[in-house]
Amino acid sequence: MGQPIVIGSERSEAGLPAAMEILSRDGSAADAVETALRLCEDNLADHYVGTGGLPNAQGVVELDASIMVGSTRAFGGVGAVRGYPHPISIARAVLEKLPQHAVLVGSGAELFAHELGFEKAELLTDESRALYRDALRESTSSVEGENTRATTGDQKYREAALELVRRLGPHDGPWGTINVLAVDADGELVVGVSTSGYPWKYPGRIGDSAIPGAGNYADLRYGGAACTGRGELSMRAVGAHRIVDRLAAGDDPTAACLAMLRDAAHLPDEFRSELRCLALTPDGRHGAAAGQAGSTYNVMTMSSTQPEAHPRSVL
Ligand code: GLY
């Protein structure tokens, strides 16, 4: 039996109280994680996930999400989904209703969502459309997300993205993913991730959020982990899996997160920008790390009334 706990990345506050409410009624970690992420996906003020997420280079919103269950290591993921506001629910349906597969992308994921009767919606809001059009006009993008201080890599990425936007964008003319990790009263551990990915990305680009072991990993023997930030780095470092490997080797959650960031820091990447991660063990120990000072993650336990912000350790 576990002590229910839920943790999340920056901007998970929109969903964590509802998740804790579910856990406190002996609800499942999967329900808690899905509910929290659906609320984040519905948060129109958040431009890095769900409805209102920033679009690709052609002005179309494409969403990635995944969910992984610690006891079975079952995984459901979707990538580059258009027109469906709750990719985390489609990801969970892949896990539960399509066990012969683990990840669906693009039109296949949309067909599956249609077959299951998921609701569709326009994902580009007036505000995200305006941000997209501003980016077309400006010589450098002013869009900032969880990784607020632009590095040289950020700048170079944005310049390349703007070139793409100019090439592919329609004529009429803060990024960041959300992670939620929960342990329920039965001791199950579930990790969920949802994102609209890089603003102005190449159409069809899928990040670490949809990939098992990269942006999301859960193994009930040791713990779960998830990443935000530059997904290309986390895919190459197999970030979330590496963190869980470090937990298995005896690291505490913070040390495990720092070890992954240290490894990723050695990868050559001309578009390098911030990579962040967090980890939770089945017995409720948690930790997180980032490359920049001042970043936080959120925690709720049975005694919390609101998400509590904890500092991330800095590499
Ligand atoms: N970490 C989210 C992404 O790279 O899409």
Side-chain angles (χ1 to χ4, degrees), residues 161-187:
L162 283 170
E163 254 180 63
L164 256 187
V165 168
R166 285 188 201 103
R167 187 148 54 87
L168 301 179
H171 298 295
D172 65 348
W175 58 67
T177 300
I178 298 190
N179 306 148
V180 177
L181 295 75
V183 173
D184 63 28
D186 287 335

Side-chain angles (χ1 to χ4, degrees), residues 244-257:
V244 175
D245 263 355
R246 292 308 314 162
L247 294 174
D251 280 3
D252 66 44
T254 303
C257 288

